[in-house]
Amino acid sequence: MSKRVGIVAVAQNAGAESKDNFYDQAYRVTKEVLDKAGLTRDDVETIISASSDIYHGGISCANAYYWETTGAFMKNGSRQDGESLFALFYGAMRIMTGRYDTALVIGLCKGSENPPNDTCTLMYSDPFYLRNVGLTETMAAAFQMRAYMEKYGITEEQCAKVAVKNLGNALGNPYAHRKGRYTVEEVLQSPRISDPLTELQCAPQSEGMVAALLASEEKAKKLSRKPVWIKGFGSSIDAYDIGDRDLLDGQLKNAAARAYRMAGIKEPAKEIDLAEISEPYAFQELMWCEDLGLCRAGEAGKLIDSGKTERTGELPVNPSGGVLANNPYVSRGLQRAVEAYLQITGQAGERQVEKKVKTALAHGTHGFAGQCHAVAILGL
Amino acid sequence: MTKEYKTIKTELRLPYELAYGATWTRFFEGMKEKKIYGTKCPKCGRVLVPARSFCPRCFVDMGEWIEVSQEGKLVAWCYTNYRYFGMPTEPPFIGAQINLDGTDVNFLHLIGGFDLSNFDEVRKIVKNGMKVRAEWKDDRNAHIMDIRYFKPL
Ligand SMILES: [Zn+2]
């Protein structure tokens, strides 16, 4: 990248159910990120929002709720449907063209108002075939989990440990929706909703307006004493039908390779200090760690056993509590980047890791069993 | 569920009418005749089921139609024990991916035909790799659920 793009300010709201309406929440988060950057609405040159019609079908089309609240009207605003980390990429790309010096990126979702997640994810299924067999994201994840455990001898206990770690980490995160000290037994004994998945291994349904203010290198240095640079990003998408895919050989490896190449990362396990990974289902944190090259294939069970990915470990993974603790669906990938930013700048409060974080990874995923993946590398 | 603050309950009911298209029309009509159709890619030779009009990998038109086997191998399953809007049948039920003999992709359907009420018993019966066979309903409507489920052999 000839010209760098920096994140200069972030804002998010709490994930638990709120009596505020969507409109006010979106406005307040936008206002907060502008105030933190010392900008007015007029100073922001372009805006990319991320949301999904399936997750706000009850309110109206995007136009009714986004363009005033995010300050985008009368500007070059655009909306991206699906995983919000892509909106970060698009915002960065707009700045990289040289036409803009500032961009607001915002993910919008108010999960508490929606039908249950799986009512929404059933709508991912085509109406002719898969939907009539009842395929939801949870069913696809359960297929993937059993296959993963059988292939590598990963145990249910090792998968449950991810939930124990992340829900425990969330105790330090005021924005997290679900949190608590649980034991592996409690996680495994929670309702077995879609065996082998138990309820505490599945992400909740959370609220999340999540914003990041991006700026060109020159502008970022003016707006912030410590801008965090977007060093690399990449994505990859798999075939739609899970029957056409190898659920254990997905596209995250490709997405990561693209991001690593752009960021100049050769040995991710050594060069990445911290990872915020989207794990709507506990075992997926293990699978994604392998695909990201943070450990070798089949070895993430050992990785979680070692304690290395704890908040106090050598390579903290999801010190925020991750998606298991807070799942504002569409906004969750961008929220990983926001958390990575807070860790790099030392603003993560009680959830701040002990080690120094110079380079962090943020990951987002969308679709059945990780059909689509996006990876961003952020750093000083 | 009533919330403590003022809310409005709203619901979307938007009627759409979607074309099956030639390939899926033929596939689903096959269900009526207790036949499962796939199509074969002239380039990579893979047999895809349900039938497709093109091979997504090779990006060429599919070739011959093949009536595929009604037996296959279980490759993935989950025991679903909660209710959700649009569920295919009352829980508990077993969603499954089945690799039908002679095909190169996995077919999504249900496993059944035995007592599903006790999960520990189910775990003793259902194993990835086991052979299963399609059981058809008597009343068929050119619909994927004309197959009641796949039953362990
Ligand atoms: Zn082909």
Side-chain angles (χ1 to χ4, degrees), chain B residues 40-46 48 54-62:
Chain B
K40 186 170 183 168
C41 173
K43 200 165 170 198
C44 67
R46 292 187 310 152
L48 306 186
F54 65 93
C55 174
R57 255 187 225 170
C58 306
F59 221 60
V60 295
D61 291 4
M62 280 303 227

Side-chain angles (χ1 to χ4, degrees), chain B residues 39-108:
Chain B
T39 43
K40 186 170 183 168
C41 173
K43 200 165 170 198
C44 67
R46 292 187 310 152
V47 175
L48 306 186
V49 59
R52 320 289 165 89
S53 53
F54 65 93
C55 174
R57 255 187 225 170
C58 306
F59 221 60
V60 295
D61 291 4
M62 280 303 227
E64 60 176 313
W65 281 72
I66 290 171
E67 188 199 337
V68 305
S69 173
Q70 308 209 353
E71 291 182 8
K73 196 177 72 174
L74 181 66
V75 296
W77 64 281
C78 83
Y79 181 86
T80 297
N81 199 14
Y82 70 110
R83 301 177 57 86
Y84 58 93
F85 173 80
M87 60 195 180
T89 181
E90 280 296 313
F93 61 86
I94 299 174
Q97 285 192 291
I98 299 144
N99 179 231
L100 295 172
D101 295 342
T103 70
D104 296 282
V105 292
N106 300 323
F107 188 71
L108 184 80

